[in-house]
C-alpha cells in the first residue's frame, strides 16, 4: 500500500454533489483540499463521518419558511466498505466503527483515499447506530459522541488500515481535536498515563496542524467537562496544564491550538482577528482557495483548454486569461448564463431574461451574512433600476435548523421578492448544494457578498465566481480584502478601499446602493470595460485563490 504521510481530518467533506456529507463552506473547502492533494500527488489520506441522513434536504414553503427532511442516499453507490472495524468507547459502551473508502482521483491518476466512518452496524446498540447519521444534528451529547468517533476512531481506523507512517495530522477546524489525545496515548506506548511528560506533549505537537475557520463563537465547540468525563471516560490528559482548557469546559479550539506546532487562519485578516481572539498563540494565515477543475464550468474549461493548455496542472497559468479576447470571455459567460437562466425559469417559472444584469447571492443564511442588506431601502433599489438599467437576482442558501434568525431571513428575501415583483425579479432556488453553487457562481453576472466585517473568515464562493469570469461586488471582508482591486477585479462595497466597511448596516446599505448604481451603468453602457473586469477576475484572482496555491503553502509552512 502506498505510504501516506498526511492525515486530513474534517467533520464534513463535500466530495460529490450527490453525497450529502457536507453542510457548507467548511466541507466544500475540505473536498477541494483533498482534490488538490490528489492533483499534486501529495501523500494524503482523509477522515470524516458518513452521515447516512446527511445534513438535511431543504424544503421552502410559499412564504419562504424552511422545513428540513433527512436526505435519502445509498453510500454503496459511491464508496466501498473496507475491512477493518475498530472500537471506540462512548459513555462506557464499546462502539464498533467501520469505514467506507471514497477514492479521490487527481488529474494524473494519483488518488487520495477518504475514509467515511460509520457506526450503523448490527453489533451496536440502537442509539449508537445513529451516531454517524446526521451532520450538526441533535444536541451536545450527540455532537461530542461524533467528535470522539472522528478524533479517536479516526486515528484508530487509519492505523487499522495500515497507515502507520503518518507524519502530520491536519485538523480542519476543532471538531477532530480529540485525535490529539489518541496520539498522546500512542506516545505512551503502554506506560502508565500518570507518566505523561512534556516530551510526550511535544511529540504530539510536532505531528499536529490546526486550521481555525471562523471568528463566530458558535463555530468553536465547547463541552462541559462533566459531559466529557461521562462520554469520554476519565483521562490523565484532562489534568495537564496548558493542554485542556478552560475551567470546567473542554474547548476544542484551545485543545487543537495547544497541541499543534502550526496554527493558521484562512485569510490574512482572519489571521489577525484570530490572534486577537486567542492571545498568546502564534497564528499564521493561509488564504483559502477553490479547486479550478471542479468549479470552472464546462464552457470555460473548453476555453482555457484552447488558450491556456496545462492550466489544470498549473493553476498559476490562468494569469494568461489576459491574452484571451474580452469578447470570447463574454460569449463563454453567456453560455453559462443561459444555462442558469433556463434552470431558474424551469424551476420557478419567474421568466428571467438573458439580457438583464443578474446578481447572485448564495450562502448559508445567517445574520452576519446579511442577505437582506440589499432590501434595506427598496425605493432606492427601484430608482437605481429605473435610472441605470434593469436587474434580476438569484438567491439560494440553507439556514441551520436551529438558526431561527437565519430562517426568518429566507422569509425576508421572499417578502422582498413579492414587494419588488413589478420592478425586479427575485428567485430563490431551494436546497443549495454544490451543484447549484457551480451553476450560480458561473451563471450570474455579478456575485454579491454583504457580510458583517470581520465575521467572514474567508468566503470561497466569490473565488468560484472569479474562475468563471464573474466579478464580485462585496464588502471588504475575508478573502476580498486581498482579491479586490477596485474596478479591475470587481468592486468593494464601502468608501475607503483599504478599510472594512463600517459595522453600521444602514451605512453599508448606502455604500452598496452607490456602488451598485455605478456597476449597473457600467454593465449596460460600457460592456467592453465590463468584459475586461471579467478577464481580470480570472487572471488575477482565479490564478491565485485556488487550492493548488493553498496546498503549496500548507506543504511549505505546515506539513514538511
Ligand atoms: C462554495 C460553497 C459554500 C461556501 O460559500 P461561502 O462563500 O464561503 O459562503 C457553501 N455552500 C456550498 C454549496 C458551496 O458550494
Amino acid at each position: 500500500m502506498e505510504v501516506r504521510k498526511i492525515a486530513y481530518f474534517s467533520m464534513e467533506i463535500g466530495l460529490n454533489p450527490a453525497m450529502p456529507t457536507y453542510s457548507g463552506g467548511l466541507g466544500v473547502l475540505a473536498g477541494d483540499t483533498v482534490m488538490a492533494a490528489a492533483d499534486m500527488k501529495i501523500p494524503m489520506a482523509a477522515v470524516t463521518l458518513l452521515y447516512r441522513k446527511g445534513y438535511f434536504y431543504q424544503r421552502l414553503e410559499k412564504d419562504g419558511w424552511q422545513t428540513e427532511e433527512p436526505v435519502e442516499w445509498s453510500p454503496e453507490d459511491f464508496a466501498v466498505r473496507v475491512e477493518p472495524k475498530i472500537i471506540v468507547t462512548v459513555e462506557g459502551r464499546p462502539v464498533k466503527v467501520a469505514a467506507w473508502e471514497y477514492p479521490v482521483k487527481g488529474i494524473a491518476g494519483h488518488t487520495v483515499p477518504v475514509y467515511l466512518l460509520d457506526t450503523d452496524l448490527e453489533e451496536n446498540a440502537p442509539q449508537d447506530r445513529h451516531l454517524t447519521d446526521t451532520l450538526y444534528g441533535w444536541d451536545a451529547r450527540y455532537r461530542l459522541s461524533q467528535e470522539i468517533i472522528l478524533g479517536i476512531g479516526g486515528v484508530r481506523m487509519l492505523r487499522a488500515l495500515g497507515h502507520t507512517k503518518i507524519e502530520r495530522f491536519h485538523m480542519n477546524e476543532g471538531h477532530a481535536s480529540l485525535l490529539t489525545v489518541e496520539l498522546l496515548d500512542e506516545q505512551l506506548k503502554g506506560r502508565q498515563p500518570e507518566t505523561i511528560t512534556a516530551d510526550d506533549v511535544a511529540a504530539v505537537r510536532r505531528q499536529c496542524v490546526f486550521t481555525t475557520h471562523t471568528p463566530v463563537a458558535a463555530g468553536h465547540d465547547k463541552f462541559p467537562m462533566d459531559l466529557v468525563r461521562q462520554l469520554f471516560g476519565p483521562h490523565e490528559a484532562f489534568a495537564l496544564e496548558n493542554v485542556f482548557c478552560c475551567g470546567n469546559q473542554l474547548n476544542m479550539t484551545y485543545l487543537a491550538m495547544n497541541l499543534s506546532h502550526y496554527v493558521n487562519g484562512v485569510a490574512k485578516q482572519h489571521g489577525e482577528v484570530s490572534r486577537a481572539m486567542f492571545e498568546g498563540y502564534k497564528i499564521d494565515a493561509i488564504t483559502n482557495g477553490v479547486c479550478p477543475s471542479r468549479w470552472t464550468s464546462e464552457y470555460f474549461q473548453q476555453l482555457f483548454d484552447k488558450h491556456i493548455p496545462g492550466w489544470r496542472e498549473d493553476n498559476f497559468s490562468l494569469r494568461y486569461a489576459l491574452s484571451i479576447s474580452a469578447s470570447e470571455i463574454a460569449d463563454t459567460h453567456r453560455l453559462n448564463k443561459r444555462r442558469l437562466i433556463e434552470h431558474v425559469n424551469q424551476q420557478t417559472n419567474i421568466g428571467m431574461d438573458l439580457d438583464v444584469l443578474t446578481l447572485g447571492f448564495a450562502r448559508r443564511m445567517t445574520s452576519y451574512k446579511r442577505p437582506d442588506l440589499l432590501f434595506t431601502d427598496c425605493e432606492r433599489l427601484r430608482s437605481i433600476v429605473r435610472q441605470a438599467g434593469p436587474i434580476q437576482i438569484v438567491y439560494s442558501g440553507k439556514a441551520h435548523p436551529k438558526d431561527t434568525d437565519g430562517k426568518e431571513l429566507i422569509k425576508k428575501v421572499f417578502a422582498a421578492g413579492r414587494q419588488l415583483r413589478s420592478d425586479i425579479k427575485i428567485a430563490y432556488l431551494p436546497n443549495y448544494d454544490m451543484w447549484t453553487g457551480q451553476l450560480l457562481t458561473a451563471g450570474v453576472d455579478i456575485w454579491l457578498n454583504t457580510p458583517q466585517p470581520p465575521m467572514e473568515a474567508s468566503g470561497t464562493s466569490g473565488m468560484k465566481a472569479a474562475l468563471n469570469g464573474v466579478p464580485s461586488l462585496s464588502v471588504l471582508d475575508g478573502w476580498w480584502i486581498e482579491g479586490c482591486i477596485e474596478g479591475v477585479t470587481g468592486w468593494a462595497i464601502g468608501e475607503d478601499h483599504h478599510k472594512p466597511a463600517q459595522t453600521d448596516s444602514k451605512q453599508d446599505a448606502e455604500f452598496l446602493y452607490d456602488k451598485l448604481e455605478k456597476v449597473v451603468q457600467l454593465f449596460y453602457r460600457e460592456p467592453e470595460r465590463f468584459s475586461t473586469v471579467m478577464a481580470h477576475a480570472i487572471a488575477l484572482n482565479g490564478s491565485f485563490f485556488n487550492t493548488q496555491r493553498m496546498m503549496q503553502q500548507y506543504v511549505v509552512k505546515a506539513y514538511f
Side-chain angles (χ1 to χ4, degrees):
M1 187 171 64
E2 197 183 327
V3 173
R4 306 288 167 173
K5 294 192 175 171
I6 293 152
Y8 183 78
F9 278 67
S10 185
M11 189 74 165
E12 47 171 311
I13 307 187
L15 295 161
N16 180 318
M19 288 169 76
T21 57
Y22 66 97
S23 82
L26 184 73
V28 174
L29 176 83
D32 281 13
T33 299
V34 171
M35 290 175 84
D39 284 349
M40 295 163 78
K41 308 190 188 79
I42 292 171
M44 179 185 271
V47 181
T48 187
L49 304 184
L50 181 67
Y51 307 115
R52 283 182 181 272
K53 295 187 175 158
Y55 179 46
F56 66 87
Y57 184 88
Q58 179 195 50
R59 248 182 234 293
L60 294 173
E61 286 165 29
K62 267 209 147 55
D63 64 350
W65 185 249
Q66 167 184 299
T67 55
E68 302 93 24
E69 293 169 16
V71 185
E72 303 286 343
W73 71 293
S74 305
E76 50 277 8
D77 292 349
F78 304 91
V80 178
R81 255 294 293 279
V82 287
E83 263 315 302
K85 286 182 197 165
I86 53 99
I87 293 175
V88 174
T89 307
V90 179
E91 213 172 0
R93 298 186 305 275
V95 177
K96 273 211 168 164
V97 183
W100 297 74
E101 180 175 343
Y102 181 96
V104 171
K105 204 170 189 168
I107 28 188
H110 178 83
T111 60
V112 169
V114 178
Y115 300 110
L116 303 117
L117 305 181
D118 181 13
T119 62
D120 186 21
L121 305 170
E122 273 174 20
E123 305 90 294
N124 285 333
Q127 81 245 51
D128 296 331
R129 292 186 67 162
H130 296 301
L131 287 178
T132 52
D133 273 358
T134 306
L135 174 60
Y136 304 141
W138 306 101
D139 54 6
R141 167 176 296 264
Y142 187 77
R143 175 78 71 92
L144 180 56
S145 304
Q146 289 190 324
E147 296 189 9
I148 293 171
I149 290 163
L150 178 66
I152 306 290
V155 174
R156 290 184 188 166
M157 181 57 76
L158 287 173
R159 301 313 190 200
L161 286 160
H163 296 297
T164 53
K165 298 254 158 54
I166 292 165
E167 292 172 15
R168 297 286 182 264
F169 290 80
H170 186 167
M171 293 170 270
N172 187 47
E173 196 49 285
H175 311 107
S177 302
L178 287 169
L179 73 82
T180 58
V181 181
E182 182 66 11
L183 294 180
L184 207 50
D185 281 341
E186 286 190 351
Q187 203 58 37
L188 289 171
K189 295 188 194 82
R191 274 189 287 136
Q192 289 304 311
E194 303 82 86
T195 63
I196 300 177
T197 64
D199 286 349
D200 295 322
V201 173
V204 172
R205 294 187 84 225
R206 271 196 298 279
Q207 296 175 71
C208 293
V209 170
F210 172 57
T211 303
T212 176
H213 284 268
T214 179
V216 180
H220 299 266
D221 275 343
K222 299 174 199 80
F223 300 104
M225 272 317 283
D226 286 346
L227 184 68
V228 176
R229 286 195 193 90
Q230 200 185 2
L231 296 188
F232 193 81
H235 199 284
E236 304 301 321
F238 297 166
L240 289 178
E241 232 174 288
N242 298 329
V243 171
F244 271 67
C245 175
C246 311
N248 273 331
Q249 274 193 337
L250 164 58
N251 182 318
M252 299 297 270
T253 303
Y254 277 99
L255 177 60
M257 288 194 301
N258 289 337
L259 287 172
S260 294
H261 77 276
Y262 179 85
V263 178
N264 71 290
V266 290
K268 295 234 179 289
Q269 177 190 252
H270 181 235
E272 262 172 54
V273 170
S274 302
R275 285 191 289 277
M277 255 177 106
F278 306 112
E279 242 177 87
Y281 288 89
K282 209 174 155 222
I283 303 177
D284 195 20
I286 294 179
T287 303
N288 281 342
V290 295
C291 184
S293 55
R294 183 191 222 184
W295 294 107
T296 307
S297 74
E298 298 258 328
Y299 298 122
F300 268 102
Q301 294 201 22
Q302 285 160 18
L303 185 74
F304 296 158
D305 284 341
K306 183 171 142 206
H307 293 279
I308 317 173
W311 66 278
R312 285 189 185 79
E313 290 78 13
D314 176 11
N315 298 166
F316 288 126
S317 63
L318 287 173
R319 179 185 168 80
Y320 301 116
L322 287 181
S323 63
I324 306 173
S325 75
S327 65
E328 233 179 320
I329 286 174
D331 291 348
T332 308
H333 170 68
R334 199 170 167 85
L335 298 171
N336 284 340
K337 187 171 178 183
R338 183 182 293 278
R339 194 169 70 113
L340 170 69
I341 299 293
E342 279 172 4
H343 178 78
V344 169
N345 286 344
Q346 189 257 334
Q347 291 289 305
T348 65
N349 195 28
I350 197 166
M352 282 196 174
D353 184 336
L354 188 60
D355 292 319
V356 168
L357 169 58
T358 306
L359 300 180
F361 185 107
R363 41 188 60 82
R364 186 157 52 88
M365 288 294 148
T366 193
S367 302
Y368 85 82
K369 304 242 187 194
R370 298 189 296 187
D372 55 340
L373 190 71
L374 187 61
F375 308 123
T376 308
D377 180 354
C378 286
E379 265 324 298
R380 178 78 199 275
L381 202 52
R382 282 198 180 95
S383 102
I384 290 173
V385 168
R386 273 194 302 270
Q387 291 176 16
I391 64 170
Q392 54 196 9
I393 316 167
V394 188
Y395 270 86
S396 193
K398 296 176 175 178
H400 184 277
K402 289 191 181 142
D403 184 355
T404 315
D405 293 344
K407 289 185 173 184
E408 289 296 338
L409 283 168
I410 303 176
K411 281 179 73 179
K412 265 181 111 168
V413 174
F414 270 66
R418 279 192 304 276
Q419 195 191 335
L420 290 163
R421 183 158 40 200
S422 52
D423 303 290
I424 301 171
K425 287 181 171 156
I426 299 171
Y428 201 110
L429 297 178
N431 202 46
Y432 185 44
D433 62 7
M434 292 193 288
W435 188 84
T436 323
Q438 202 287 320
L439 187 74
L440 267 167
T441 51
V444 298
D445 296 307
I446 291 169
W447 194 246
L448 181 65
N449 186 37
T450 52
Q452 170 103 57
M455 304 301 252
E456 187 79 298
S458 166
T460 53
S461 53
M463 303 174 185
K464 301 168 192 168
L467 276 171
N468 291 286
V470 173
S472 287
L473 168 60
S474 169
V475 164
L476 285 168
D477 199 17
W479 82 282
W480 193 236
I481 298 171
E482 297 162 56
C484 177
I485 304 173
E486 182 66 20
V488 176
T489 58
W491 304 273
I493 297 168
E495 229 166 18
D496 181 341
H497 301 151
H498 301 287
K499 221 168 51 195
Q502 309 300 311
T503 44
D504 173 354
S505 281
K506 261 222 156 77
Q507 176 70 78
D508 282 357
E510 284 297 318
F511 287 143
L512 167 58
Y513 294 133
D514 292 347
K515 196 56 68 76
L516 180 65
E517 185 154 32
K518 289 191 183 122
V519 175
V520 177
Q521 278 169 1
L522 183 76
F523 180 86
Y524 287 112
R525 295 178 196 170
E526 298 180 76
E528 284 89 35
R529 262 187 68 200
F530 193 92
S531 305
T532 310
V533 177
M534 297 173 71
H536 281 91
I538 303 169
L540 296 179
N541 286 345
S543 69
F544 184 81
F545 295 97
N546 57 66
T547 34
Q548 198 176 77
R549 182 268 314 154
M550 183 190 86
M551 282 311 281
Q552 284 175 15
Q553 291 178 320
Y554 276 107
V555 166
V556 171
K557 295 178 170 207
Y559 294 164
F560 301 120

